[in-house]
Amino acid sequence: MIKKINKKWIVTLTAIFSFLVFTIVGINSVNAASLNHYVYKNNIKPAKITNDIWSGFPHYKYSGGKPKGVVIHETANPHSNIYSEIAYMKKHWKNAFVHSFVDDKRIINIANTNYLSWGVGYPGNARFIQFEQIEVHSKKAFAKEVNNSAYYTAYLLHKYNLPAVSAESTGKGTVWSHKSVAKHLGGSNHTDPIGYYKNNGKKFFGKAYTMSEFFSLVKHYYNNASTNNSTNNNNGSTDSSVEDKSISSSSSNSSNVVNGVTYNDGSGKDIAKLSYNYAKYGIYNHVKNAGYKTVSYKWKKLGVRAEQTVYVNNRAIHNKNHSVWYRIKLSDNVNAKTYWVPESALNFSAVQYSNSNDTMTFNGIEHSMYDNIPNSKYLSNEKMNNASLLGHSVNVVQKATVNDNSGKNNVWYKVSIDNNNYWVNEDAFVK
């Protein structure tokens, strides 16, 4: 026999059950209010950016000269800390390295962001700044770390004058997870930091944290927060001043027009030889008729001879009379005096150009990539290194056969990468 329950008790139990359900849902709703809301509500401030640049990392230039975005990584090591991760990377950088590390208390930049790192393979290494997040293990620590990462991402976008655009869905943008790079560009099969965000989001905030939410936090800092938040590195210079100086000093073949003359810097490593009839032409302290007081020198007093090697570091074109001039040194000593001579006083490597539409594959040997063929009349600057491209195929748009001043013939190829062209010697490719 089933005992009848009093209606009053039924109403009471229903009310209690409803209250418990509402309370549980309410608690979960608070937890799931989002990490971003937690950051805003608690007024969490980002850490200072500490610059501790290690000189052991290589300096290879980005495709196109500057980064095109930022990749966010996660270490996948629950037992490490930021200092052990940095120490490990310095020991094993030949396998992989990133520019910076982030945890809940620190943003530490260890590699100059003006130069590429390798953490996502080809072609992403030559395009993006990359940083790692250390695994943390509490709600507050996770919120602070993600906040630091979002702030640092916005800082880097501002530093390199890049827009804030998520690349997660389209593969076109400036803010990338390692997973989005692998999905849209290839180069690896990693999926970080998606799993780390998902699991910690569920654990500490009641729902998975996503790259979409992370990008919203990036936009918050990009639109509203100051990005000048760095502390001094070892030599007392800020990250911004150190790296901006690097950009300035290494800019290649930059044109500068003064008094109707267009000057183009070379690297200073190009060489030429004095022509047989060099003595017929003047040698001066400045380009003639370029708005400067011009002083001429006597070749005999300089102790030179025909076919002597000289070092060339600038090319100038007079826009009115179209004459071409070169600035030379008679030795490779950094303090050697410079002179200006007309182009007929010099012989550069002879170059024959031809069109090409081939595809070639880089071998396993690192080579420099240039804006022009070294020791040719246009002067050259190293634009990047092919370290991140080894084993990969590239499109060839032009071929050049070069007869250098020693009588040796060699071949150079102009390759197209990310809509930028570079000259690379034949020795860089699979035969």
Coordinates of all heavy atoms in Angstrom, one line a residue, residues 40 50 102 117 120 148 154-155 188 213 236 257 278 282 298 351 357 385 419:
Y40 N 37.8 41.8 -16.7 CA 37.3 43.2 -16.6 C 36.8 43.5 -15.2 O 37.0 44.5 -14.6 CB 36.1 43.4 -17.6 CG 36.5 43.1 -19.0 CD1 35.6 42.5 -19.9 CD2 37.8 43.4 -19.5 CE1 35.9 42.3 -21.2 CE2 38.1 43.2 -20.9 CZ 37.2 42.6 -21.7 OH 37.5 42.4 -23.0
T50 N 59.2 42.2 -20.3 CA 60.7 42.1 -19.9 C 61.4 41.6 -21.1 O 61.1 40.6 -21.7 CB 60.9 41.2 -18.7 OG1 60.2 41.7 -17.6 CG2 62.4 41.2 -18.4
V102 N 55.1 33.5 -21.9 CA 54.1 34.2 -21.1 C 53.6 33.3 -20.0 O 53.3 32.1 -20.3 CB 53.0 34.7 -22.0 CG1 51.9 35.4 -21.1 CG2 53.5 35.7 -23.0
S117 N 61.5 33.4 -36.0 CA 61.8 32.2 -35.2 C 61.3 31.0 -36.0 O 60.7 31.1 -37.0 CB 61.1 32.3 -33.8 OG 59.7 32.3 -34.0
V120 N 56.5 26.9 -36.2 CA 55.3 26.4 -36.9 C 55.7 25.8 -38.3 O 54.8 25.4 -39.0 CB 54.3 27.5 -37.1 CG1 53.6 27.8 -35.8 CG2 54.8 28.7 -37.8
N148 N 47.6 38.5 -20.1 CA 48.9 38.9 -20.5 C 49.2 38.6 -22.0 O 49.8 39.4 -22.8 CB 50.0 38.2 -19.7 CG 50.1 38.7 -18.3 OD1 49.7 39.8 -18.0 ND2 50.7 37.9 -17.4
A154 N 48.4 42.4 -28.8 CA 48.0 43.7 -29.2 C 49.2 44.6 -29.3 O 49.4 45.4 -30.2 CB 47.0 44.3 -28.3
Y155 N 50.1 44.5 -28.3 CA 51.4 45.3 -28.3 C 52.2 45.0 -29.6 O 52.7 45.9 -30.2 CB 52.2 44.9 -27.1 CG 53.6 45.3 -27.1 CD1 54.0 46.5 -26.8 CD2 54.6 44.4 -27.5 CE1 55.4 46.9 -26.8 CE2 55.9 44.7 -27.6 CZ 56.3 46.0 -27.2 OH 57.7 46.3 -27.3
S188 N 52.9 21.9 -39.9 CA 52.9 21.0 -38.7 C 51.5 20.5 -38.5 O 50.6 20.9 -39.2 CB 53.4 21.8 -37.4 OG 52.3 22.7 -37.0
E213 N 37.0 34.2 -28.1 CA 37.0 35.0 -26.9 C 38.4 35.7 -26.7 O 38.5 36.8 -26.3 CB 36.6 34.2 -25.7 CG 35.2 33.7 -25.7 CD 34.9 32.7 -24.6 OE1 35.4 31.6 -24.7 OE2 34.1 33.1 -23.7
G236 N 70.1 47.9 -21.0 CA 69.5 49.1 -20.5 C 68.6 49.7 -21.6 O 68.1 50.8 -21.4
V257 N 66.2 60.4 -51.9 CA 66.4 61.4 -52.9 C 66.9 62.7 -52.2 O 66.2 63.2 -51.4 CB 65.1 61.6 -53.7 CG1 65.4 62.7 -54.8 CG2 64.6 60.3 -54.3
Y278 N 90.2 53.3 -65.9 CA 89.6 54.0 -64.7 C 90.2 55.4 -64.6 O 89.5 56.3 -64.2 CB 89.9 53.2 -63.5 CG 91.3 53.2 -63.0 CD1 91.8 54.2 -62.1 CD2 92.2 52.3 -63.5 CE1 93.1 54.2 -61.7 CE2 93.6 52.3 -63.1 CZ 94.0 53.3 -62.2 OH 95.3 53.4 -61.8
G282 N 87.1 60.8 -63.1 CA 87.4 61.4 -61.9 C 87.0 60.6 -60.7 O 86.2 59.7 -60.8
K298 N 93.5 62.7 -56.9 CA 94.4 62.1 -58.0 C 94.5 60.6 -57.8 O 94.9 60.2 -56.7 CB 95.8 62.8 -57.9 CG 95.8 64.3 -58.1 CD 95.3 64.7 -59.5 CE 95.4 66.2 -59.7 NZ 95.0 66.6 -61.1
V351 N 76.1 39.9 -66.0 CA 74.9 39.2 -65.7 C 74.0 39.1 -67.0 O 73.8 40.1 -67.6 CB 74.1 39.8 -64.6 CG1 72.9 38.9 -64.3 CG2 75.0 40.0 -63.3
N357 N 59.8 29.9 -65.5 CA 58.6 29.6 -64.8 C 58.7 28.2 -64.2 O 57.8 27.4 -64.0 CB 57.3 29.7 -65.7 CG 57.4 28.7 -66.9 OD1 58.4 28.1 -67.1 ND2 56.4 28.7 -67.7
N385 N 67.1 34.5 -44.8 CA 67.8 33.2 -45.0 C 66.8 32.1 -45.3 O 65.6 32.2 -44.8 CB 68.6 32.9 -43.6 CG 69.4 31.7 -43.7 OD1 68.9 30.6 -43.7 ND2 70.7 31.9 -43.8
N419 N 54.6 36.7 -52.5 CA 54.5 37.9 -53.4 C 55.7 38.8 -53.3 O 55.7 39.9 -53.7 CB 53.3 38.7 -53.1 CG 52.0 37.9 -53.4 OD1 51.9 37.2 -54.4 ND2 51.0 38.0 -52.5

